[in-house]
Amino acid sequence: MSRYQTLKYEEFGPVARVTLHRPEVHNAFDMQMIKEVHACWRELRDNDDIRVIVLTGSGDKAFCTGLDRTAAAVGEDHRTPELGQRGATPMHQNEPGDWLMPKTAGDLWKPIIGAVNGMACGGAFYLLGEVEFMIAAEHATFFDPHTTYGMATVYESMMMAQRMPLGEVMRMSLMGSHERMSARRAYEIGLVQEVVPAEELQETALRVAQTMASQPALALQGTVRAVWYTRELAYRQALAVGDTLVQTSLNEESLSEGQQVFKSGKRVEWNLR
């Protein structure tokens, strides 16, 4: 994975850390980053050595500020064969951001922790909309500038509406660049699950990821699938799918790994938060 130019990729045993790496533009994405993120999700999906992923941004100013509006080539690359040709009518609009979403585009059902190290706005929600949960630095902020620049916020607000109360996503979407949600407020409404000092962010995210990765991979992935199905399906439909998930998430290797932990007589160290 060293071939990436817009990402930093590191492995810590069963944990991978993917860092958006265009700090000169606050880790905004151009078409190269979009393609590399998509390729990374697919490679991680097929890498059985990796159980959990941490997603973050370079530096301490921004996680990601969405589409790089200064990249003139974005509009042209929008129509490249890799993303499919745009049709003759608006009904066949290509959306490059679709390639950023780990589950929708990457079919990646391993747990992903978003480590938000600064500004997260606009197109950043393509990524954060499909992580399992977020840990944020104290100075992190969340906002969506679309309306300020004369555009409706559509996909981003749809994704955030799955994670935030209606009033909160409406306020963030309609206030545009005129207001930013603090990490503390994001924690209060449940968008963020933990807020830590900036210097502790990466260590905390990796520690949580390593703890999760110490458990059987199939159990983790089955749980991720179950919870996302609950979000996307009606309750009774989700329960019906759950019958299948229970069966597919159990195998001898996974159960044996868990049984070894139980038989060892050692009890895991747990923390109260």
Side-chain angles (χ1 to χ4, degrees):
M1 295 193 181
S2 59
R3 61 187 174 85
Y4 296 137
Q5 298 180 36
T6 66
L7 306 175
K8 285 184 177 179
Y9 180 86
E10 305 163 274
E11 291 186 359
F12 304 84
V15 173
R17 180 165 64 191
V18 177
T19 304
L20 307 175
H21 187 54
R22 299 187 75 224
E24 70 280 4
V25 290
H26 297 313
N27 302 317
F29 50 79
D30 59 4
M31 282 308 306
Q32 181 176 357
M33 179 182 278
I34 289 172
K35 293 173 184 177
E36 290 186 357
V37 167
H38 182 258
C40 187
W41 293 150
R42 287 304 181 97
E43 291 186 29
L44 282 167
R45 179 191 65 176
D46 298 333
N47 185 347
D48 292 334
D49 293 331
I50 297 300
R51 295 190 177 189
V52 181
I53 299 136
V54 173
L55 175 64
T56 192
S58 282
D60 58 5
K61 293 183 178 180
F63 168 79
C64 175
T65 54
L67 181 67
D68 181 1
R69 294 171 62 87
T70 67
V74 169
E76 297 174 1
D77 284 349
H78 193 154
R79 299 171 171 81
T80 57
E82 294 95 324
L83 288 177
Q85 295 294 325
R86 180 176 179 176
T89 73
M91 295 298 101
H92 297 91
Q93 174 82 24
N94 290 325
E95 179 50 50
D98 288 348
W99 277 31
L100 294 169
M101 296 183 281
K103 294 170 177 61
T104 299
D107 194 31
L108 177 61
W109 298 97
K110 298 177 181 181
I112 304 174
I113 300 170
V116 185
N117 52 302
M119 293 182 290
C121 68
F125 300 143
Y126 283 104
L127 296 161
L128 294 179
E130 291 196 355
V131 300
E132 271 50 70
F133 59 87
M134 301 179 218
I135 300 172
E138 290 174 333
H139 71 289
T141 55
F142 303 82
F143 62 104
D144 194 326
H146 277 80
T147 54
T148 300
Y149 296 120
M151 298 176 287
T153 172
V154 179
Y155 302 112
E156 296 84 357
S157 58
M158 288 177 175
M159 285 181 272
M160 287 298 99
Q162 307 303 309
R163 310 191 74 109
M164 298 166 60
L166 178 62
E168 294 290 347
V169 71
M170 281 292 194
R171 177 165 179 158
M172 183 176 73
S173 300
L174 297 173
M175 289 294 286
S177 295
H178 296 276
E179 185 173 270
R180 299 185 182 188
M181 179 183 293
S182 68
R184 181 53 55 184
R185 180 59 180 162
Y187 175 78
E188 291 171 351
I189 67 170
L191 177 61
V192 164
Q193 281 59 63
E194 187 173 3
V195 178
V196 298
E199 63 273 14
E200 298 178 13
L201 176 64
Q202 299 302 328
E203 179 184 351
T204 301
L206 286 173
R207 173 179 54 79
V208 173
Q210 292 281 9
T211 301
M212 292 166 58
S214 69
Q215 302 169 117
L218 191 56
L220 294 172
Q221 293 170 30
T223 300
V224 168
R225 282 256 181 172
V227 176
W228 280 95
Y229 274 133
T230 302
R231 298 287 294 178
E232 296 165 359
L233 300 175
Y235 177 62
R236 294 296 175 188
Q237 291 175 316
L239 289 178
V241 173
D243 294 338
T244 301
L245 281 177
V246 168
Q247 298 304 315
T248 57
S249 297
L250 293 176
N251 66 12
E252 289 300 323
E253 182 180 351
S254 183
L255 289 173
S256 176
E257 188 175 338
Q259 187 67 4
Q260 288 175 17
V261 174
F262 182 79
K263 285 185 174 180
S264 70
K266 297 180 181 179
R267 293 297 174 254
V268 298
E269 295 183 8
W270 53 272
N271 67 294
L272 182 67
R273 70 178 183 95

